Amino acid sequence: MMKGLFITFEGIDGCGKSTQCELLKDYLKANGKDFIFVREPGGTVIGERIREILLDKKNTQMTARTELLLFEAARAQITEEVIRPALEEGKTVICDRFFDSSSAYQGMARGMGMDFVAGLNMAATGGLEPDVTFFFDISVEEALARRGKRGEASDRIELAGMRFQEDVRTGYLELAKNSNGRIVTVDATLGIEEIFDAVMKTLEGKI
Ligand code: TYD
């Protein structure tokens, strides 16, 4: 039986979820809560090495199947090494991306199939699911404009293009619809403070 609360943040590239993660971390710190923050892919020594392979622009030969299995491998590691133990100790766990990313990016956008990916997600996590998932929803155009402003260099996945990001968004919308309330869709075109208010409203009484 897990004692801690497991919260995940999701959305297309440039949706602003990292900013919201920072705000939630600040809030938890200021209120003396026991929490950990991790990101996917990564968050463990093995996971960070897998992350390098996944995001390296030189790896143009990587097949969709390999990509999916590498994400799942990194996930298996962080789930067992970091997330489960923290939850068992009663800590709140915030994860910047978790298995919904694989469903949306690899399942929908790369065409591997959402059901197929759901099975692998299950295998990687041993059935662990987030208690609450925030999906920060924004159009591809707006997300791109934001990223352009920040002047960030694109990684291998981000370079896949606008059509790809559209498909990722479609994947997330479908997941949210079928999540039985686990996935909370937040309008990511609102101001930073308004978005954070929406997040906190959902978490009220839970953290
Ligand atoms: P990252 O730099 O962490 O992006 P972000 O700040 O947007 O989270 O890179 C992660 C990239 O990997 C991002 O483009 C999403 C993608 N990704 C997948 O395609 N599948 C997955 O299962 C995960 C976790 C991430």
Side-chain angles (χ1 to χ4, degrees):
M1 173 69 191
M2 296 291 170
K3 286 177 286 187
L5 187 73
F6 185 20
I7 307 166
T8 60
F9 282 37
E10 296 282 354
I12 64 171
D13 298 303
C15 69
K17 71 183 163 44
S18 302
T19 306
Q20 295 300 320
C21 281
E22 288 303 316
L23 290 175
L24 182 57
K25 271 157 61 180
D26 290 347
Y27 170 87
L28 293 171
K29 249 183 249 164
N31 287 275
K33 305 281 184 196
D34 206 1
F35 75 97
I36 62 160
F37 171 80
V38 289
R39 68 166 181 183
E40 268 215 357
T44 62
V45 173
I46 292 167
E48 289 296 333
R49 292 184 70 178
I50 296 175
R51 178 185 176 89
E52 279 171 33
I53 300 172
L54 278 166
L55 301 184
D56 191 339
K57 273 177 253 182
K58 290 199 295 287
N59 286 338
T60 49
Q61 328 87 307
M62 193 184 295
T63 70
R65 209 173 282 270
T66 303
E67 177 182 281
L68 171 60
L69 291 171
L70 284 174
F71 277 117
E72 297 293 0
R75 179 163 305 127
Q77 190 66 33
I78 198 173
T79 301
E80 204 163 324
E81 188 181 323
V82 181
I83 299 176
R84 272 187 193 276
L87 292 172
E88 273 158 16
E89 284 170 24
K91 291 182 181 151
T92 296
V93 176
I94 312 168
C95 197
D96 188 353
R97 296 195 181 283
F98 197 55
F99 61 46
D100 296 306
S101 284
S102 289
S103 299
Y105 281 78
Q106 282 68 48
M108 179 62 86
R110 289 265 195 246
M112 302 293 295
M114 303 268 271
D115 290 342
F116 178 68
V117 173
L120 290 175
N121 287 343
M122 216 16 203
T125 62
L128 179 69
E129 277 199 13
D131 297 298
V132 186
T133 297
F134 292 102
F135 164 45
F136 297 95
D137 189 32
I138 189 168
S139 73
V140 174
E141 290 76 14
E142 269 180 275
L144 206 69
R146 279 199 195 167
R147 260 194 312 159
K149 259 186 244 153
R150 290 207 303 255
E152 286 170 8
S154 298
D155 61 43
R156 195 182 58 83
I157 308 270
E158 288 168 349
L159 286 173
M162 282 189 73
R163 180 59 214 272
F164 183 80
Q165 295 290 328
E166 289 289 0
D167 292 343
V168 173
R169 186 183 185 200
T170 305
Y172 276 125
L173 290 168
E174 200 170 308
L175 288 167
K177 209 171 59 196
N178 301 320
S179 77
N180 287 322
R182 173 178 64 84
I183 301 179
V184 178
T185 302
V186 180
D187 180 356
T189 62
L190 299 172
I192 289 173
E193 296 301 327
E194 281 171 287
I195 299 173
F196 189 58
D197 284 348
V199 168
M200 290 310 293
K201 216 166 160 198
T202 301
L203 295 179
E204 222 170 64
K206 290 199 171 89
I207 49 172

